[in-house]
Coordinates of all heavy atoms in Angstrom, one line a residue:
F53 N -69.9 33.1 36.5 CA -69.3 34.2 35.7 C -70.4 35.0 35.0 O -70.1 36.2 34.7 CB -68.4 33.5 34.6 CG -69.2 32.6 33.7 CD1 -69.8 33.1 32.5 CD2 -69.5 31.3 34.1 CE1 -70.5 32.3 31.7 CE2 -70.2 30.5 33.3 CZ -70.7 31.0 32.1
L58 N -76.6 27.0 37.2 CA -77.8 26.2 36.9 C -77.4 24.8 36.8 O -76.4 24.4 36.3 CB -78.3 26.7 35.5 CG -79.5 25.9 35.0 CD1 -80.5 26.9 34.4 CD2 -79.1 24.8 34.0
A60 N -78.7 21.0 35.7 CA -79.6 20.3 34.9 C -79.1 18.9 34.6 O -78.0 18.8 34.1 CB -79.9 21.0 33.6
R65 N -81.0 17.7 29.7 CA -80.3 18.4 28.6 C -80.5 17.6 27.3 O -80.7 18.2 26.2 CB -78.8 18.5 28.9 CG -78.5 19.5 30.0 CD -77.1 19.6 30.3 NE -76.8 20.4 31.5 CZ -76.6 21.7 31.5 NH1 -76.6 22.4 30.3 NH2 -76.3 22.4 32.6
R66 N -80.6 16.3 27.4 CA -80.9 15.5 26.1 C -82.4 15.7 25.7 O -82.7 15.7 24.5 CB -80.6 14.0 26.4 CG -79.1 13.8 26.4 CD -78.9 12.3 26.6 NE -77.4 12.0 26.6 CZ -76.8 11.1 27.3 NH1 -77.6 10.2 28.0 NH2 -75.5 10.9 27.2
F68 N -84.2 18.3 26.2 CA -84.4 19.7 25.7 C -83.0 20.1 25.1 O -82.2 20.7 25.8 CB -84.8 20.6 26.8 CG -86.2 20.3 27.4 CD1 -86.3 19.4 28.5 CD2 -87.3 20.8 26.9 CE1 -87.5 19.1 29.0 CE2 -88.6 20.5 27.4 CZ -88.7 19.6 28.5
P69 N -82.7 19.7 23.9 CA -81.4 20.0 23.3 C -80.8 21.4 23.4 O -79.6 21.5 23.6 CB -81.6 19.5 21.8 CG -82.6 18.5 21.9 CD -83.6 19.0 22.9
P70 N -81.6 22.5 23.3 CA -81.0 23.8 23.5 C -80.4 24.0 24.9 O -79.5 24.8 25.1 CB -82.2 24.7 23.4 CG -83.2 24.0 22.5 CD -83.0 22.6 22.9
L71 N -80.7 23.1 25.9 CA -80.1 23.2 27.2 C -78.7 22.7 27.2 O -77.9 22.9 28.2 CB -80.9 22.4 28.2 CG -82.3 22.9 28.6 CD1 -82.9 22.1 29.7 CD2 -82.2 24.4 29.1
M72 N -78.3 21.9 26.2 CA -76.9 21.4 26.1 C -75.8 22.4 26.3 O -74.8 22.1 26.9 CB -76.7 20.6 24.8 CG -77.5 19.3 24.7 SD -77.2 18.1 26.0 CE -76.0 17.1 25.2
S73 N -76.1 23.6 25.9 CA -75.1 24.7 26.0 C -75.4 25.7 27.1 O -74.6 26.6 27.3 CB -75.0 25.4 24.6 OG -76.2 26.0 24.3
V74 N -76.4 25.5 27.9 CA -76.7 26.4 29.0 C -75.8 26.1 30.1 O -75.6 25.0 30.6 CB -78.2 26.2 29.4 CG1 -78.4 27.0 30.7 CG2 -79.1 26.7 28.4
A75 N -75.2 27.2 30.6 CA -74.2 27.1 31.7 C -74.6 27.9 33.0 O -74.1 27.7 34.0 CB -72.8 27.6 31.2
S76 N -75.5 28.9 32.8 CA -75.9 29.7 33.9 C -77.3 30.3 33.7 O -77.9 30.2 32.6 CB -74.9 30.9 34.1 OG -74.9 31.8 33.0
L87 N -81.5 32.0 30.6 CA -80.6 30.9 30.6 C -79.6 31.2 29.5 O -79.9 31.4 28.4 CB -81.3 29.6 30.3 CG -82.6 29.3 31.1 CD1 -83.1 27.9 30.8 CD2 -82.3 29.4 32.6
A88 N -78.3 31.2 29.9 CA -77.2 31.6 29.0 C -76.1 30.5 28.9 O -76.0 29.6 29.7 CB -76.6 32.9 29.5
D89 N -75.3 30.6 27.8 CA -74.2 29.7 27.6 C -73.0 30.1 28.3 O -72.9 31.1 29.0 CB -74.0 29.5 26.1 CG -73.5 30.8 25.4 OD1 -73.0 31.7 26.0 OD2 -73.5 30.8 24.1
A90 N -71.9 29.4 28.0 CA -70.6 29.7 28.7 C -70.0 31.0 28.3 O -69.1 31.5 29.0 CB -69.6 28.6 28.5
K91 N -70.5 31.7 27.3 CA -70.0 33.0 26.9 C -71.0 34.1 27.3 O -70.9 35.2 26.8 CB -69.8 33.0 25.4 CG -68.7 32.1 24.9 CD -68.5 32.1 23.4 CE -67.4 31.1 23.0 NZ -67.3 31.1 21.5
A92 N -71.9 33.7 28.2 CA -72.9 34.6 28.7 C -73.9 35.1 27.6 O -74.6 36.1 27.7 CB -72.3 35.8 29.4
Q93 N -74.0 34.3 26.5 CA -75.0 34.6 25.5 C -76.3 34.0 25.8 O -76.3 32.8 26.1 CB -74.5 34.2 24.1 CG -73.2 34.8 23.6 CD -73.4 36.3 23.5 OE1 -74.4 36.8 22.9 NE2 -72.5 37.1 24.1
P94 N -77.4 34.7 25.8 CA -78.7 34.1 26.1 C -79.1 33.0 25.1 O -78.9 33.1 23.9 CB -79.7 35.3 25.9 CG -78.9 36.5 26.0 CD -77.5 36.1 25.5
I95 N -79.6 31.9 25.7 CA -80.1 30.8 24.9 C -81.6 30.8 24.9 O -82.2 30.7 23.8 CB -79.6 29.4 25.5 CG1 -78.1 29.3 25.6 CG2 -80.2 28.2 24.7 CD1 -77.4 29.3 24.3
V96 N -82.2 31.0 26.0 CA -83.6 31.1 26.1 C -84.0 32.1 27.3 O -83.3 32.1 28.3 CB -84.3 29.7 26.3 CG1 -83.9 29.1 27.6 CG2 -85.8 29.8 26.2
P116 N -85.7 28.0 21.4 CA -84.9 28.0 20.2 C -85.3 26.8 19.2 O -85.2 26.9 18.0 CB -83.5 27.8 20.6 CG -83.4 28.3 22.0 CD -84.7 27.9 22.6

Side-chain angles (χ1 to χ4, degrees):
F53 63 93
L58 177 137
R65 292 179 186 270
R66 287 183 178 149
F68 296 91
L71 291 181
M72 290 300 264
S73 58
V74 170
S76 65
L87 307 183
D89 67 13
K91 295 179 182 176
Q93 296 300 310
I95 301 296
V96 64

